[in-house]
Amino acid sequence: MNNWEQGFQHKYILTSEELADLCGTTENGIKENLNQSESLCIRGGKTGIYPSVVKKFLKKNGIDYSCQVLAIVNMRGGIGKTTASISTATRAKQYGFKTCIIDMDPQGSTTLAFDMTPEADEPIFYDIWQKPDEMVMGTIKKIDEDLYIIPSSLENGLLDASLINPSHQKNAVNDVCNVLKANGFEMIIIDNPPSLGTAVISSVCAADTIVVPMFSDAFSFRGLDITINEIHSICSTFNMDEPKVRILFSKYDRREKASETALLELKERYSKYFIPFLIRTSTEFSKALQKKETIFASRRKSTAKEDYDMYVKHILGLDKIYKQNGGKCD
Ligand SMILES: Nc1ncnc2c1ncn2[C@@H]1O[C@H](COP(=O)(O)OP(=O)(O)OP(=O)(O)O)[C@@H](O)[C@H]1O
Ligand SMILES: [Mg+2]
């Protein structure tokens, strides 16, 4: 198999330039530390580094690869949850995290984004939560090397009728995550529907970190307030410690007054949760979706990639080494 063919198995791959930037060295510095088999030629004449090799580099720098469960939640619709799920997952995979997305939304937008719509006889979360040990590993579908999805379809809309018992609500997503963890997954990302249903309750109970994306439009704060209150109330109902909650401000445009006003209000009211990296408005997100991929499949530089990368570094704890090595992080 030649390099090009191998490259196809890794649609999402970090370039030596990106790894050098993160580690505070030059591309040659990275290449000198590699065997020939650890890198490959990718589109645009660039050198791609296999995720397992990126992981080796980052582990040496003290990065923790123990599994994190990240739930993406906002009760409001069309606010960037799916964009956050798919972008975070593909970038985490590039940084060497074995990643699985659980699509809990009956709309199945994340599933569609990766062209992973299940056949009628293929299981989804609704079919597997009662028998995770038997079913999870047979249900996950491969998007790319070390990047998988538990797809969704309309039947997940029936979850509210089947997850009635509170202990089932508490454990359903967690039990599925435990099987994934036992099978070596290091990052689990859960995309949720824009509703107050059992999918969200169960995801909140399983999460180490909850990311709440939001835009600056007039109704966003209402959605944000409801979401934060709901997270508090779920944790108190189940008598659980609260997971980390992080607000991701997206579709930011500094030329727009609404963006600046929302940013000020966010920093004032939610400073504890606010992620200090903003995602600017960009057409790259919808362009990538049209190709059934995310912004991180492209090798070209873009503000969308730059912004999402800073936030993912922050979530994965990579911002520490980036700063140590002279990168600007805030
Ligand atoms: N930073 C951004 N700049 C421009 N458009 C964006 C940005 N982030 C997200 N979008 C666009 O906003 C729209 C809604 O995003 P997305 O589908 O991620 O929201 P959602 O919260 O998952 O929606 P739903 O609640 O219906 O599941 C999409 O068309 C997406 O491409
Ligand atoms: Mg969505």
Side-chain angles (χ1 to χ4, degrees):
M1 192 187 290
N2 67 31
N3 265 346
W4 282 97
E5 285 165 340
Q6 286 177 11
F8 257 103
Q9 291 180 7
H10 284 282
K11 185 170 203 169
Y12 297 97
I13 195 156
L14 209 68
T15 62
S16 51
E17 196 182 354
E18 290 173 306
L19 186 58
D21 185 40
L22 179 62
C23 295
T25 178
T26 58
E27 263 192 277
N28 281 341
I30 293 287
K31 285 177 190 166
E32 276 165 19
N33 278 296
L34 293 176
N35 303 324
Q36 246 192 341
S37 62
E38 291 179 325
S39 65
L40 75 165
C41 178
I42 50 178
R43 268 173 287 170
K46 300 200 173 187
T47 303
I49 313 288
Y50 285 111
S52 56
V53 181
V54 175
K55 183 175 173 178
K56 206 170 73 184
F57 266 86
L58 297 182
K59 267 193 154 176
K60 260 198 242 159
N61 279 277
I63 296 306
D64 182 10
Y65 279 80
S66 40
C67 187
Q68 253 201 81
V69 178
L70 203 76
I72 316 287
V73 177
N74 193 323
M75 305 306 159
R76 185 159 155 63
I79 201 92
K81 295 183 290 298
T82 296
T83 307
S85 304
I86 62 178
S87 308
T88 311
T90 46
R91 196 55 168 171
K93 180 253 141 128
Q94 287 177 313
Y95 283 128
F97 287 75
K98 186 174 176 185
T99 300
C100 186
I101 309 175
I102 307 179
D103 190 357
M104 297 295 287
D105 186 352
Q107 298 176 99
S109 311
T110 285
T111 301
L112 269 175
F114 290 117
D115 205 12
M116 288 283 144
T117 304
E119 301 292 333
D121 58 348
E122 283 182 317
I124 58 166
F125 184 86
Y126 174 74
D127 305 301
I128 66 170
W129 69 268
Q130 283 170 303
K131 296 184 210 154
D133 288 326
E134 281 166 53
M135 296 199 66
V136 168
M137 294 312 288
T139 299
I140 57 172
K141 286 167 78 100
K142 186 169 176 175
I143 299 168
D144 200 13
E145 282 304 314
D146 285 341
L147 179 62
Y148 293 81
I149 184 167
I150 295 181
S152 182
S153 62
L154 281 176
E155 283 74 33
N156 266 341
L158 302 171
L159 268 176
D160 284 339
S162 71
L163 270 177
I164 299 166
N165 179 323
S167 86
H168 287 161
Q169 290 175 10
K170 184 175 180 194
N171 296 321
V173 172
N174 196 39
D175 290 347
V176 168
C177 290
N178 283 339
V179 176
L180 292 170
K181 285 180 198 175
N183 282 278
F185 282 92
E186 295 151 327
M187 172 57 73
I188 300 168
I189 295 175
I190 312 166
D191 187 18
N192 277 287
S195 63
L196 264 174
T198 50
V200 171
I201 295 173
S202 199
S203 297
V204 167
C205 291
D208 300 305
T209 303
I210 299 176
V211 171
V212 187
M214 78 161 269
F215 295 164
S216 62
D217 66 278
F219 303 108
S220 281
F221 275 96
R222 176 104 184 96
L224 182 62
D225 294 340
I226 295 173
T227 304
I228 300 285
N229 286 338
E230 183 60 17
I231 294 168
H232 293 326
S233 127
I234 293 167
C235 294
S236 103
T237 305
F238 290 101
N239 202 13
M240 288 174 1
D241 288 341
E242 211 159 275
K244 269 185 265 169
V245 177
R246 314 294 282 129
I247 298 171
L248 178 65
F249 188 29
S250 297
K251 236 175 159 181
Y252 168 74
D253 184 345
R254 79 184 157 90
R255 293 163 305 181
E256 269 181 18
K257 191 153 189 306
S259 273
E260 284 303 324
T261 313
L263 181 59
L264 282 176
E265 188 172 344
L266 257 187
K267 284 183 177 168
E268 201 177 296
R269 288 183 46 209
Y270 286 110
S271 62
K272 184 172 140 198
Y273 302 136
F274 177 66
I275 298 177
F277 306 110
L278 308 175
I279 313 294
R280 285 167 282 183
T281 298
S282 167
T283 52
E284 293 293 318
F285 296 100
S286 50
K287 280 191 209 156
L289 266 187
Q290 276 166 9
K291 291 192 260 171
K292 303 262 189 249
E293 59 188 34
T294 82
I295 50 169
F296 290 114
S298 157
R299 319 282 175 224
R300 277 190 307 110
K301 290 194 170 161
S302 69
T303 57
K305 276 175 71 176
E306 197 184 304
D307 294 349
Y308 247 99
D309 184 44
M310 293 304 271
Y311 139 77
V312 174
K313 281 193 180 108
H314 175 70
I315 288 289
L316 299 178
L318 301 180
D319 49 351
K320 289 180 214 104
I321 59 166
Y322 186 61
K323 267 190 205 162
Q324 270 163 25
N325 291 327
K328 285 189 286 229
C329 247
D330 47 12

